Amino acid sequence: MACIRLKENCEFNGESTYRHVNTHLPNYARPRFIRIKSAVELTATFKYRKVQLVEEGFNPAVIKDRLYFLDDKENLYVQMTQDIYNSVKNHVFKL
C-alpha cells in the first residue's frame, strides 16, 4: 500500500497512475492499494506515522480516506469497495 497526499486542487486519476506505476515499477513493487490522505501525520522526530495505517489495513468499512485498488484486468486503480475487499479476503483476487 502507498499512502499519499495530493497537491492542492489535484484529483486522483486511476488510469494515469496505473500507467505511471506500470511503466516505472517492477510488478513486485507496484502498490496494490493507494490511500489518499488530506494530511500525512508525522512523529516528533519527523518520521511518518505508519503503525496506525498498518493496523487499519485496507478495509473500507474502517478507513475514512479514499482508497484505491490496483485492478490489473481493467488496467487502472479503482475505488475500493466492500465487494472488492471481500473478494481479496476470500482469495478471489490474487495479490
Side-chain angles (χ1 to χ4, degrees), residues 1 32-34 57-61 63 65-70 77-89 93:
M1 180 182 294
R32 296 296 185 186
F33 304 96
I34 295 181
F58 60 95
N59 187 347
I63 297 172
D65 302 315
R66 289 182 291 158
L67 183 64
Y68 295 90
F69 173 72
L70 175 66
Y77 280 93
V78 295
Q79 183 94 31
M80 185 71 168
T81 63
Q82 194 64 41
D83 289 337
I84 294 173
Y85 175 78
N86 293 335
S87 296
V88 171
K89 292 301 263 186
F93 282 127

Side-chain angles (χ1 to χ4, degrees), residues 45-86:
T45 57
F46 301 105
K47 296 177 185 171
Y48 293 112
R49 289 193 184 270
K50 296 176 282 215
V51 175
Q52 181 183 3
L53 298 175
V54 171
E55 289 173 354
E56 291 175 348
F58 60 95
N59 187 347
V62 174
I63 297 172
K64 303 301 178 226
D65 302 315
R66 289 182 291 158
L67 183 64
Y68 295 90
F69 173 72
L70 175 66
D71 189 342
D72 286 318
K73 291 179 183 173
E74 297 293 325
N75 294 336
L76 60 102
Y77 280 93
V78 295
Q79 183 94 31
M80 185 71 168
T81 63
Q82 194 64 41
D83 289 337
I84 294 173
Y85 175 78
N86 293 335

Side-chain angles (χ1 to χ4, degrees), residues 1-60:
M1 180 182 294
C3 181
I4 62 174
R5 181 179 170 269
L6 298 176
K7 288 182 179 180
E8 199 72 30
N9 298 323
C10 287
E11 286 295 318
F12 181 80
N13 184 319
E15 189 175 343
S16 66
T17 303
Y18 177 85
R19 281 196 312 267
H20 181 80
V21 165
N22 196 35
T23 302
H24 297 288
L25 293 174
N27 191 33
Y28 63 86
R30 295 176 191 148
R32 296 296 185 186
F33 304 96
I34 295 181
R35 183 173 177 170
I36 310 295
K37 299 277 290 175
S38 57
V40 179
E41 296 91 16
L42 299 174
T43 65
T45 57
F46 301 105
K47 296 177 185 171
Y48 293 112
R49 289 193 184 270
K50 296 176 282 215
V51 175
Q52 181 183 3
L53 298 175
V54 171
E55 289 173 354
E56 291 175 348
F58 60 95
N59 187 347

